[in-house]
Amino acid sequence: EGLPVLAPVTKDTATSLYTIPFHDGANLVLDVAGPLVWSTCDGGQPPAEIPCSSPTCLLANAYPAPGCPAPSCGSDRHDKPCTAYPYNPVTGACAAGSLFHTKFVANTTDGNKPVSKVNVGVVAACAPSKLLASLPRGSTGVAGLADSGLALPAQVASAQKVANRFLLCLPTGGLGVAIFGGGPLPWPQFTQSMDYTPLVAKGGSPAHYISLKSIKVENTRVPVSERALATGGVMLSTRLPYVLLRRDVYRPFVDAFTKALAAQPANGAPVARAVKPVAPFELCYDTKSLGNNLGGYWVPNVGLAVDGGSDWAMTGKNSMVDVKPGTACVAFVEMKGVEAGDGRAPAVILGGAQMEDFVLDFDMEKKRLGFSRLPQFTGCSSFNFARST
């Protein structure tokens, strides 16, 4: 049994994406739905001798990204080296690249402090530098955290002999943390009281999905059936800083939220003043007219009743986004190009802002997701002990 491996997580303010240091100045963007680890290669890395017909190559191509070529070995497959298709989660572009051996340099941890530096061998795909478009400045690729054989958690698990599981605390500001391999964990007071909900596999997708029973706004149920939510399911994404809702879920939600916001002044809240919306958002308000409390803007609480009986509760911190000075918008956006009830699209995609300042436990072995909201006065940075003191 090895020790879990810990890496600090930084939020890039320009793109709202999250990165971890990978090795020697290389930073990779975290993609919770990504099946591969990839980075730019300047030709300095010799391709790994991985034949096209090998199990590793099959893993690398298990989840072809939408719009990317279908991988094939052709008839002379015994000699051909493996080609993978790394994918940029922001632009949707992909490119062909060979696989190569690299290392993830991080610290092991005993749950309280860093123990020792470790070089974890990782198989990654090479990508041309044009694939870095729209990613944070200084990042050199993407670390996929999906449930697939060549995603980073599975590779750390097999190299370090730890569980195929990772903990994630995404920061609003300051540093967050990613811990690969499960326990022992710090902060038992948060991890022991964690709520768990099953992780659901969705055919053809490596992403992490959960099931929602209902959506509540200020404890009133939004009129969307459990069946509508089950059609397509709920996907977790670090690519977007807001929630995307399919049309049949979005309209009832917006109506419920506006209604609850209008009813707040009766309980002493200020009257929220709507302002001209800023795309892609529909509901935007003058920040001076929104009260503020420990949980962020004083807006109706949103509760996602997940399978397993608990609520993923969001205060203004997770449900509002500042789009420009003086304007904040409700961080729920309608999916474009998707019909109401179309099961090929998720009913709900939760973005990074909805996961910030939660401790999340993605346990692929037990097929469950743990979540615990941090108290208002702490952020993920309280738990980052990646640097030895």
Side-chain angles (χ1 to χ4, degrees), residues 8-63:
V9 176
T10 309
K11 181 177 181 177
D12 176 61
T13 41
T15 58
S16 295
L17 295 168
Y18 310 92
T19 60
I20 58 166
F22 204 66
H23 60 79
D24 337 311
N27 291 307
L28 297 189
V29 176
L30 293 180
D31 178 11
V32 166
L36 287 174
V37 177
W38 64 263
S39 78
T40 48
C41 301
D42 41 21
Q45 289 86 344
E49 303 291 311
I50 295 172
C52 192
S53 52
S54 69
T56 304
C57 193
L58 289 174
L59 284 178
N61 288 302
Y63 296 104

Side-chain angles (χ1 to χ4, degrees), residues 47-275:
E49 303 291 311
I50 295 172
C52 192
S53 52
S54 69
T56 304
C57 193
L58 289 174
L59 284 178
N61 288 302
Y63 296 104
C68 295
S72 93
C73 292
S75 48
D76 55 347
R77 62 185 199 176
H78 295 297
D79 319 312
K80 226 163 130 183
C82 182
T83 298
Y85 293 90
Y87 166 83
N88 178 317
V90 180
T91 61
C94 66
S98 51
L99 295 177
F100 71 106
H101 292 291
T102 180
K103 58 187 193 298
F104 172 34
V105 180
N107 280 313
T108 56
T109 172
D110 60 5
N112 289 309
K113 58 183 188 306
V115 175
S116 59
K117 197 167 150 184
V118 64
N119 292 326
V120 183
V122 169
V123 172
C126 260
S129 51
K130 63 168 200 247
L131 209 57
L132 297 173
S134 305
L135 297 182
R137 178 173 290 178
S139 60
T140 51
V142 168
L145 302 179
D147 189 5
S148 62
L150 288 188
L152 189 56
Q155 296 209 56
V156 174
S158 63
Q160 291 295 107
K161 308 279 179 282
V162 290
N164 184 12
R165 169 184 171 200
F166 66 97
L167 267 113
L168 197 55
C169 195
L170 296 176
T172 307
L175 285 174
V177 66
I179 302 176
F180 299 94
L185 295 173
W187 1 296
Q189 68 278 31
F190 302 123
T191 43
Q192 277 159 11
S193 62
M194 256 193 185
D195 291 308
Y196 282 92
T197 187
L199 279 170
V200 186
K202 187 136 186 266
S205 168
H208 302 286
Y209 282 81
I210 57 175
S211 293
L212 276 196
K213 298 292 187 199
S214 65
I215 301 176
K216 293 178 245 176
V217 173
E218 282 299 329
N219 297 323
T220 303
R221 194 180 163 143
V222 176
V224 173
S225 71
E226 191 179 324
R227 196 167 144 247
L229 293 169
T231 306
V234 178
M235 179 182 146
L236 302 173
S237 164
T238 42
R239 179 178 78 80
L240 301 164
Y242 47 77
V243 187
L244 276 180
L245 300 176
R246 205 175 51 211
R247 189 173 178 83
D248 50 321
V249 183
Y250 179 76
R251 291 277 29 125
F253 171 80
V254 163
D255 296 344
F257 194 92
T258 337
K259 208 156 124 190
L261 188 62
Q264 279 193 161
N267 301 322
V271 176
R273 208 168 61 78
V275 294

